[in-house]
Amino acid sequence: MEGSPDVAQRDVVPERPGHVVGLHALGTDVDLHVTGHDAADLAAQLRERWHLALRPERTPHAPPPAGASGPPVGTDPVVVRAHRLAPGDQAPPWTRGGGTVADSDPRRLLQHLTQAVTHAVITARTGDLLMLHAAGLADPATGATAVFVAPGNTGKTTLCRTLGPVRTYVSDETVGIRRDGGVTAYLKPLSTRRPDWAGVKDEQAPGRVGLRAPAADPWVAGIVVLRRDPGHRGPVGLEPLDTLDAVVALTPESSGFMRTDGPLRWLADVLERTGGAVRATYAEVEGLEPLAAEICARRSPW
């Protein structure tokens, strides 16, 4: 996923942005520099999709929003460039870590921008967050967060859409855990597969499906390793994992793990404080509701 903008991308993107959309994502300030064909419309679409992550103007003494812990104040924002080509123009090659997205197809442009922002903020927070590839939902009053870990395209976004409206949304992609047990939210658009959109996902505004940002500071209350089995019958199958088995299951679904100081001890501490991870085998996400409710009702061990 590492890379830098190629020559073709540099050729089509002007240096000065026509519009800047400011985000605070995974505790990181991000400036989306928007240029090109109908740039104002693209900037408006980005503000609508990323509405929960829009960076507010803050006074020097104003507290950050819930789940917004990040780099020290004064750190320059990460820049991701979005250039909308005119209809019919051929898009240059794109890499997730290149920092520039150029395309004439607005749906593909929005999807690639989400992926580029994800890569940028994960890179920025590597070393100071324990980042799990997971969906996160929190209790609105206490911030107790259920962390559902799973590979891509295995139901995390569907889980957020289904179980999230009665809770608060933390992420459908990456949950960042701090050393004090707090959770840093990544309030990205919901990347949703549609049968009528071949080869591209629909980047949906979370508010459109009833999701809202954390009102209380989120903290990790429990970790679930998801295993979706369409043939599973009956209640969700729950298998407690000892610390070693949980570490083995979780490390492949982490980001920047081996570039973090003492990651195994850090992860083991999270597991031990929260009662250990559990593997949940299920067919439909609705069956996970009792488990989500139980985790979000826990008291903080931090």
Side-chain angles (χ1 to χ4, degrees), residues 26 134-137 156 160 168-176 184-188 190:
L26 199 62
L137 298 174
K156 294 187 299 298
C160 288
T168 54
Y169 174 55
V170 174
S171 184
D172 76 335
E173 159 65 32
T174 299
V175 172
T184 299
Y186 181 28
L187 304 177
K188 59 180 285 295
L190 299 176

Side-chain angles (χ1 to χ4, degrees), residues 21-24 32 43-56 169 187-190 203-213:
V21 179
L23 307 177
H24 190 74
L32 296 178
Q45 290 188 56
L46 288 166
R47 291 189 182 95
E48 191 262 337
R49 264 62 167 200
W50 288 86
H51 68 108
L52 294 185
L54 290 176
R55 189 167 73 241
Y169 174 55
L187 304 177
K188 59 180 285 295
L190 299 176
E203 301 299 311
Q204 296 183 341
R208 288 201 169 189
V209 295
L211 299 183
R212 53 206 166 109

Side-chain angles (χ1 to χ4, degrees), residues 66-290:
S69 176
V73 174
T75 301
D76 290 338
V78 172
V79 173
V80 176
R81 294 177 174 83
H83 185 74
R84 186 170 178 176
L85 301 172
D89 285 355
Q90 183 175 0
W94 171 78
T95 59
R96 191 186 304 264
T100 300
V101 180
D103 210 311
S104 60
D105 183 330
R107 299 179 302 180
R108 191 166 56 227
L109 182 57
L110 290 170
Q111 179 184 334
H112 284 174
L113 276 170
T114 296
Q115 294 169 334
V117 171
T118 298
H119 183 277
V121 297
I122 286 175
T123 300
R125 299 312 305 272
T126 292
D128 61 5
L129 285 178
L130 182 64
M131 294 179 285
L132 297 177
H133 194 203
L137 298 174
D139 181 272
T142 69
T145 301
V147 179
F148 296 91
V149 180
N153 302 318
T154 57
K156 294 187 299 298
T157 298
T158 302
L159 184 149
C160 288
R161 292 170 58 94
T162 305
L163 306 184
V166 297
R167 299 178 175 88
T168 54
Y169 174 55
V170 174
S171 184
D172 76 335
E173 159 65 32
T174 299
V175 172
I177 301 173
R178 303 190 297 275
R179 291 189 184 271
D180 64 358
V183 168
T184 299
Y186 181 28
L187 304 177
K188 59 180 285 295
L190 299 176
S191 301
T192 305
R193 290 189 178 277
R194 290 178 45 164
D196 56 333
W197 286 20
V200 65
K201 290 184 178 180
D202 186 8
E203 301 299 311
Q204 296 183 341
R208 288 201 169 189
V209 295
L211 299 183
R212 53 206 166 109
D217 288 330
W219 47 271
V220 59
I223 296 178
V224 180
V225 178
L226 294 179
R227 178 178 177 269
R228 186 170 185 271
D229 177 4
H232 181 77
R233 297 291 180 265
V236 171
L238 299 178
E239 175 192 356
L241 301 174
D242 63 29
T243 300
L244 179 58
D245 287 341
V247 168
V248 170
L250 293 170
T251 50
E253 300 305 331
S254 63
S255 295
F257 191 78
M258 298 313 295
R259 297 191 298 277
T260 299
D261 184 30
L264 294 173
R265 182 63 258 172
W266 186 354
L267 178 55
D269 181 60
V270 171
L271 292 167
E272 290 163 7
R273 284 177 178 265
T274 57
V278 61
R279 179 179 285 114
T281 302
Y282 70 103
E284 301 296 337
V285 294
E286 290 84 354
L288 296 167
E289 169 60 36

